[in-house]
Amino acid sequence: MPTTRRTDGSTDDHTSGPGRRTGRRPGRLAVLAAAGLAAAALVAGCGSSGSSGSAPAQPPASSAPASPGMTAATLRTATDPHLGTIVTDSAGFTLYRFDHDSATPPTATCDGSCATLWPPVPATGTTVSVSGLDAKLVGTVTRADGSKQLTLAGWPLYRYAPDQKPGDTKGQGVQGIWFAVTPTGDRAGTGGSGGSGGSGY
């Protein structure tokens, strides 16, 4: 009988043993399930980081810098030691008028190779920013190619290609028909400064 009891006791131990094993199995399954969820979370995390990585790439694709390119033209005054007060563009380059043009009505006659040497000041945007001159004197003229050019007191405005830096006035007096322009649209100086050589067209 005591032996039987011991056997029963051992049997009880074995019964409780499998019970323990059975209790361990769910634990292992839980660990495996947790590991699977962690792996899935990592995959999802990579996917979200990938999508977030593509999101910042979209803003640069938008052409936000294009709008600054549409800014209106700017005319301002500057003081030259020889010519007095003259008109420049926003970068400080001297602007000129051409005696073969007309102010009444505004007419631009410098085309082709002339316009390469004397680039017309384009009329961009819908307004012109002015500093030091009367905005009422500023207008536009339609060129032969259909483009718009700024005028001052009716005179079409040009730059001179050989002017390499702001403040240069190399176009002053060229051929006696090109002159830096004053804030009122008149010729600046006497036409002697800046070189009389070159092509005047």
Side-chain angles (χ1 to χ4, degrees):
M1 295 295 293
T3 303
T4 303
R5 287 175 187 168
R6 289 195 190 103
T7 303
D8 291 342
S10 64
T11 301
D12 291 340
D13 289 342
H14 287 303
T15 303
S16 62
R20 289 175 188 169
R21 288 183 191 136
T22 304
R24 289 174 190 166
R25 285 176 186 169
R28 290 177 183 174
L29 290 175
V31 170
L32 290 174
L37 289 173
L42 286 173
V43 172
C46 291
S48 63
S49 65
S51 60
S52 64
S54 61
Q58 293 175 358
S62 64
S63 54
S67 53
M70 298 302 292
T71 54
T74 299
L75 299 179
R76 61 183 58 174
T77 56
T79 302
D80 181 85
H82 303 291
L83 303 177
T85 303
I86 59 175
V87 179
T88 72
D89 61 12
S90 60
F93 282 91
T94 303
L95 300 183
Y96 300 88
R97 49 168 277 178
F98 182 33
D99 279 359
H100 288 181
D101 286 346
S102 170
T104 51
T107 306
T109 60
C110 179
D111 297 306
S113 57
C114 173
T116 300
L117 184 61
W118 300 89
V121 178
T124 59
T126 57
T127 60
V128 178
S129 174
V130 299
S131 177
L133 59 154
D134 189 351
K136 294 178 182 177
L137 295 178
V138 179
T140 63
V141 63
T142 302
R143 296 176 52 77
D145 61 3
S147 62
K148 297 285 187 179
Q149 181 176 357
L150 282 183
T151 62
L152 181 60
W155 288 101
L157 298 177
Y158 302 85
R159 275 193 49 193
Y160 188 45
D163 283 351
Q164 296 299 306
K165 64 183 184 301
D168 280 354
T169 57
K170 296 176 181 177
Q172 174 68 11
V174 170
Q175 295 293 313
I177 51 180
W178 287 95
F179 299 91
V181 68
T182 70
T184 56
D186 294 325
R187 301 174 180 177
T190 60
S193 175
S196 59
S199 176
Y201 289 90

